[in-house]
Amino acid sequence: MLSSQAPAKFIDVSQMPGTSDTDKFLAAANAFNRGEAIHIYIPWIGREWILEQTITFKSSRTGDYLQGRISGDPFWNLIDYRGPDGTTAFKFIGCKRNRISDIGLRLFGNRQVGFEVGVDADVQSTSGIQFLNCRPQFMSGKNCTGFLIGSNETWPAGAADVSFIDLTKCESYYNPVGDTHQLMLMNVIEKGHIGYQFVGGNTLANRIDNSNACGCNIGINVFGTEKLPNSGSSGMYVTNFGTSYTTLVYQVDGGFPIYAHGGRHELGGSLFSHGSSKGYQPSVVPASITDMVVDDFMPYTGTKSGLFAPGAMLSFRNCVRAHVTGMQFGWYGPGEKPSNKDFFFLAHNNTNDKARVYVEGCTGITPGSPTVSQSGRYDFFLERYLKVIKPA
């Protein structure tokens, strides 16, 4: 039986008190943070909203219920975040079952974050948030992150729990400038932006669906091992994810399973790097990469690529059970030569168990079957890999 409750209170940010845009957003957030059931609406006001400090949504109430909804104008809403370097535009702490939709956001600083979901010393659990049609855009700053999910901190109450965060039809966007494919990728590497970053040892069961990244050095980064001994993001599901001009599409630490299905990636660098940043991990972990189109890639061989094996299209560094199926690898970037590195790079030093990589039903770039560099105990299975010859 459902309990009765009052309808959500509607708040128009433009009608909130304050002499600045930041004041109005802070007033709306304060109403949300009192624990009321609220729908905050961000209308188009004929110009960009200007925010000069972080807007934090942290409810004073706890529990498994719908706390609120935040939505922008689906066509014209745009927010310019001009806060200090190293800060976040919108932060969500301890929220449960919220929907944030139709928010366009531009980041003008360095080391800034568009949307951050995490915890603090008071609140150790955040879950059930959906981001729908949200778009952080990177401007003049470097090394910014579109979405930051999780926490690397350890609090007296225990490890941070950030779970069941859903990102649907979202985009992290930067427009690289250059005359050639190589120059545009170098521009992306120099800026160093990350589209979607998941951190922490208890950041679990999150999903990205029908979303994309453009002009990012790393498209999706899943690293639970940066500060914690355990790896993070268990059961990471990514469906129909697409990228353009992204140097490395997937960078994962290999501590927990990841399943990536579908999508198209074009004019990028490398597709997948799997392994811990702090060395080899002994646990056997599944990784599934299926049914993608990877077109006009040019694997980068420099040290800033984010790869453990610069120049490889796919690299696995752990005791993994990897399945690479139904992939279509197209030509290298326009006017560029392919990397002289191995297509697959496999490295593993666990003497107790072999890692296994299965490649089946894929279509390959010229000159045909992918070359493999292997060290340690690995089984590599290549079946039904179709060689494609580029027309003259």
Side-chain angles (χ1 to χ4, degrees):
M1 179 178 178
L2 296 176
S3 60
S4 61
Q5 61 182 24
K9 180 180 179 181
F10 182 84
I11 289 181
D12 184 331
V13 174
S14 67
Q15 303 303 311
M16 298 302 289
T19 58
S20 69
D21 292 350
T22 302
D23 291 340
K24 292 180 180 294
F25 271 83
L26 288 172
N30 287 336
F32 179 98
N33 295 345
R34 288 193 292 268
E36 304 174 24
I38 281 179
H39 178 186
I40 296 176
Y41 178 61
I42 308 169
W44 170 247
I45 55 174
R47 62 167 176 83
E48 293 80 9
W49 293 88
I50 306 296
L51 294 184
E52 297 178 313
Q53 71 180 74
T54 300
I55 307 299
T56 299
F57 297 93
K58 177 185 174 182
S59 177
S60 61
R61 299 174 62 187
T62 59
D64 185 18
Y65 57 89
L66 180 62
Q67 290 186 355
R69 177 179 177 182
I70 304 168
S71 64
D73 185 288
F75 299 102
W76 300 112
N77 179 63
L78 184 63
I79 300 167
D80 285 353
Y81 182 66
R82 296 184 179 272
D85 289 351
T87 60
T88 295
F90 291 102
K91 184 178 292 187
F92 301 87
I93 297 175
C95 300
K96 303 281 186 176
R97 298 178 61 198
N98 293 257
R99 174 180 287 184
I100 295 89
S101 62
D102 299 304
I103 297 180
L105 178 66
R106 297 195 296 194
L107 304 177
F108 281 82
N110 185 26
R111 297 177 290 103
Q112 291 182 336
V113 176
F115 300 92
E116 181 177 346
V117 180
V119 298
D120 62 13
D122 301 320
V123 181
Q124 288 295 293
S125 178
T126 300
S127 65
I129 299 179
Q130 182 189 39
F131 291 90
L132 175 64
N133 196 32
C134 292
R135 186 182 195 255
Q137 181 176 350
F138 311 120
M139 300 301 288
S140 58
K142 298 181 181 180
N143 301 309
C144 291
T145 300
F147 296 86
L148 174 59
I149 312 298
S151 173
N152 269 324
E153 302 296 334
T154 55
W155 306 98
D161 176 15
V162 182
S163 304
F164 298 101
I165 309 302
D166 181 279
L167 299 111
T168 300
K169 295 185 178 178
C170 293
E171 180 180 29
S172 290
Y173 180 83
Y174 169 70
N175 183 27
V177 178
D179 297 326
T180 67
H181 180 217
Q182 184 176 22
L183 287 176
M184 295 182 79
L185 279 183
M186 293 301 294
N187 180 278
V188 166
I189 292 169
E190 175 63 24
K191 290 296 183 288
H193 301 309
I194 297 175
Y196 307 81
Q197 186 168 30
F198 297 81
V199 298
N202 199 21
T203 302
L204 311 174
N206 299 299
R207 186 182 74 161
I208 298 178
D209 183 35
N210 283 284
S211 297
N212 65 84
C214 178
C216 294
N217 191 36
I218 309 294
I220 296 175
N221 170 275
V222 183
F223 263 20
T225 58
E226 293 302 283
K227 294 183 180 179
L228 297 175
N230 299 318
S231 300
S233 206
S234 173
M236 183 75 190
Y237 282 87
V238 184
T239 56
N240 201 33
F241 180 68
T243 62
S244 295
Y245 284 109
T246 293
T247 311
L248 174 57
V249 178
Y250 292 93
Q251 183 186 41
V252 299
D253 66 3
F256 285 112
I258 182 168
Y259 307 93
H261 175 75
R264 179 181 179 181
H265 308 284
E266 60 181 358
L267 296 165
S270 298
L271 179 65
F272 196 85
S273 181
H274 184 278
S276 171
S277 61
K278 293 187 176 181
Y280 299 96
Q281 292 178 320
S283 58
V284 177
V285 178
S288 178
I289 311 166
T290 62
D291 300 324
M292 300 176 194
V293 175
V294 183
D295 198 16
D296 286 327
F297 266 44
M298 186 189 69
Y300 177 65
T301 58
T303 58
K304 294 183 179 181
S305 66
L307 290 161
F308 295 119
M313 181 68 79
L314 298 98
S315 60
F316 299 93
R317 195 168 180 255
N318 285 331
C319 189
V320 66
R321 297 294 185 269
H323 293 262
V324 182
T325 61
M327 304 293 292
Q328 179 181 325
F329 296 101
W331 316 119
Y332 287 101
E336 307 293 348
K337 295 181 179 180
S339 165
N340 60 357
K341 301 294 183 179
D342 294 322
F343 192 86
F344 280 89
F345 176 83
L346 314 175
H348 178 56
N349 69 347
N350 182 0
T351 59
N352 297 320
D353 196 355
K354 282 187 177 182
R356 294 174 176 85
V357 175
Y358 301 85
V359 181
E360 182 179 6
C362 297
T363 300
I365 55 177
T366 184
S369 298
T371 55
V372 179
S373 176
Q374 179 175 327
S375 65
R377 291 169 56 82
Y378 253 97
D379 282 337
F380 183 80
F381 303 91
L382 180 64
E383 300 180 8
R384 294 188 297 168
Y385 193 97
L386 177 64
K387 178 179 177 180
V388 177
I389 302 299
K390 183 176 181 180

